[in-house]
Amino acid sequence: MKINLALIKGDGIGPEIVDSATRVLDAICKKYGHKIAYTNLLAGGCAIDAYGVPLMQSTVEAAMRSDSVLLGAVGGPKWDSLPGHLRPERALLGLRKELGLYANIRPVKLYKALSERCPLRNTESFDIVIVRELTGGIYFGKSGRTEGENGEEAFDTETYSVTEVERIGRTAFEYAMKRNKKVTSVDKANVLESSRLWREVMHTLAEEYREVEYSDMLVDNAAMQLIRNPMQFDVIVTSNMFGDILSDEASQLTGSIGLLPSASLGSNMRGMYEPIHGSAPDITGKGIANPIATILSAAMMLSYSFKLEKEAKNIETAVETVLNKGFFTADIGGKLTTDQITEKILEQI
Ligand code: IPM
Ligand code: MG
């Protein structure tokens, strides 16, 4: 197979971790006889520096010509004081929207080797997938500032259509069918009309997927249940904003945000894959960032976009073996540098 991969290394530790991931991808492609070519694209803070805007239309078009996108991280203190529409984060939102990546898949699992780092007592293992709606809701609704009775006001709106809810719901149910057949839909239907529509649509889908054990959960309760007993969850499906919050919460249960990959998918095979952590300006350039989340994101890409299951599994097993041997980077209490842990993983491939 020949893969044309767009690389958006981005800011902060982005270039360091993407470089690790491409080394792993090169090794995998060599081993299994695939060809992989990379196109580097700028987005985020580095694009602001180079072009004055976080995301150029030409970058979107180049991403669309690629088979998939692997992204490091965007943002940093340097660009923090810019107005909303010029912030590096706009690049992420723009790419998601323009590429039609409505489904964000965030697997959150506790590795055996790291179970002591889980902040919860009596939790040995859990394996959750958060399916977050990514191109709708309050992130993309009408927003603005107006002059109200009591002076200046600001507003953001949460809107969801039946179509939007249905397609993300379907993604979640299909996922559950391949896993433990359990879907928890998280909403705030006791308050929000958009959540009541969300719930109606999910119930219709649940009728269709009778084999799946379905339940609704209010988001405040879900935030609590994740801490009380994460083992109760299999697939969680939720809106853009709730998914943003709950996935950060859940990530902490694994003991390190440096291990968690993500996939953003649309209606075709092209996806955008990225670690769920940020650009970590505090450790940028030190060569100590944990590249595992990005390496695992590359594995998700091989599986989801290219159906290269063996190859993906090989990477996942390599990572797990390295962790089981106690090789850790600093974020999880180890001493290995980015380069050293990458070497360890390469040895397993
Ligand atoms: C994420 C991030 C982004 C989001 C930000 C950087 C715009 O927090 O991917 O979870 O809110 O979606
Ligand atoms: Mg987030």
Side-chain angles (χ1 to χ4, degrees):
M1 173 164 216
K2 180 152 188 351
I3 299 170
N4 283 309
L5 184 61
L7 297 179
I8 300 184
K9 297 183 182 178
D11 310 315
I13 58 168
E16 302 165 45
I17 54 182
V18 171
D19 286 346
S20 284
T22 56
R23 284 172 69 193
V24 171
L25 280 172
D26 288 340
I28 283 286
C29 287
K30 190 159 170 225
K31 176 168 173 185
Y32 292 92
H34 305 298
K35 287 216 158 2
I36 188 159
Y38 305 106
T39 309
N40 280 291
L41 302 172
L42 294 185
C46 56
I48 298 176
D49 291 348
Y51 314 125
V53 288
L55 182 65
M56 301 261 285
Q57 190 54 34
S58 58
T59 304
V60 171
E61 283 158 18
M64 280 183 176
R65 284 192 302 270
S66 74
D67 297 324
S68 256
V69 182
L70 183 66
L71 186 141
V74 299
K78 182 174 173 194
W79 307 280
D80 266 353
S81 52
L82 290 170
H85 68 286
L86 275 180
R87 290 180 61 97
E89 292 82 359
R90 293 303 316 174
L92 268 185
L93 300 177
L95 282 162
R96 290 170 180 172
K97 191 73 175 178
E98 298 266 349
L99 299 177
L101 307 173
Y102 61 82
N104 187 215
I105 316 292
R106 297 187 165 183
V108 189
K109 93 175 199 186
L110 181 60
Y111 285 92
K112 257 208 202 74
L114 291 177
S115 55
E116 283 131 65
R117 294 192 58 89
C118 173
L120 305 179
R121 252 180 286 145
N122 307 324
T123 304
E124 310 91 60
S125 70
F126 56 80
D127 185 350
I128 306 171
V129 170
I130 299 183
V131 176
R132 168 190 176 193
E133 199 291 325
L134 203 61
T135 51
I138 200 163
Y139 273 57
F140 292 95
K142 213 171 162 209
S143 71
R145 303 252 176 150
T146 51
E147 209 40 56
E149 266 170 45
N150 302 310
E152 191 180 17
E153 291 177 352
F155 65 96
D156 297 277
T157 1
E158 168 107 342
T159 307
Y160 269 115
S161 68
V162 171
T163 319
E164 283 173 314
V165 180
E166 212 205 293
R167 66 183 182 183
I168 193 70
R170 209 168 274 292
T171 305
F173 278 97
E174 287 295 328
Y175 245 91
M177 289 298 287
K178 292 189 226 134
R179 294 174 42 99
N180 295 318
K181 302 206 168 116
K182 197 169 167 193
V183 168
T184 309
S185 168
V186 173
D187 63 34
K188 188 71 188 174
N190 54 347
V191 177
L192 304 176
E193 197 55 38
S194 54
S195 280
R196 286 191 277 270
L197 177 98
W198 178 282
R199 201 175 266 213
E200 278 165 35
V201 176
M202 288 296 167
H203 284 193
T204 318
L205 280 171
E207 292 284 308
E208 203 181 302
Y209 292 86
R210 298 237 171 207
E211 270 175 72
V212 175
E213 186 191 327
Y214 174 86
S215 55
D216 306 300
M217 196 178 275
L218 294 172
V219 63
D220 46 352
N221 185 27
M224 178 184 77
Q225 294 296 338
L226 269 172
I227 302 293
R228 199 183 68 84
N229 175 19
M231 291 178 275
Q232 69 183 289
F233 295 107
D234 177 25
V235 174
I236 293 177
V237 61
T238 191
S239 64
N240 204 342
M241 172 116 109
F242 295 159
D244 179 45
I245 300 166
L246 293 179
S247 61
D248 266 29
E249 183 191 353
S251 74
Q252 273 313 298
L253 302 177
T254 68
S256 166
I257 199 165
L259 296 180
L260 302 181
S262 78
S264 301
L265 308 172
S267 49
N268 56 31
M269 300 301 276
R270 187 187 314 102
M272 186 159 84
Y273 299 84
E274 58 180 304
I276 79 157
H277 61 72
S279 60
D282 51 326
I283 58 163
T284 298
K286 295 192 178 155
I288 57 167
N290 187 348
I292 289 181
T294 316
I295 291 170
L296 291 174
S297 300
M300 284 183 93
M301 172 184 81
L302 294 178
S303 162
Y304 295 3
S305 285
F306 307 119
K307 304 280 168 239
L308 299 174
E309 308 299 345
K310 269 197 318 282
E311 291 82 341
K313 194 87 210 136
N314 195 334
I315 297 180
E316 283 160 8
T317 311
V319 166
E320 197 146 4
T321 307
V322 166
L323 292 174
N324 284 337
K325 289 186 173 199
F327 294 124
F328 299 153
T329 42
D331 56 312
I332 39 183
K335 288 200 175 68
L336 264 59
T337 63
T338 310
D339 198 49
Q340 287 166 335
I341 195 115
T342 308
E343 286 296 336
K344 292 284 175 211
I345 294 167
L346 287 169
E347 276 168 27
Q348 296 299 321
I349 293 170

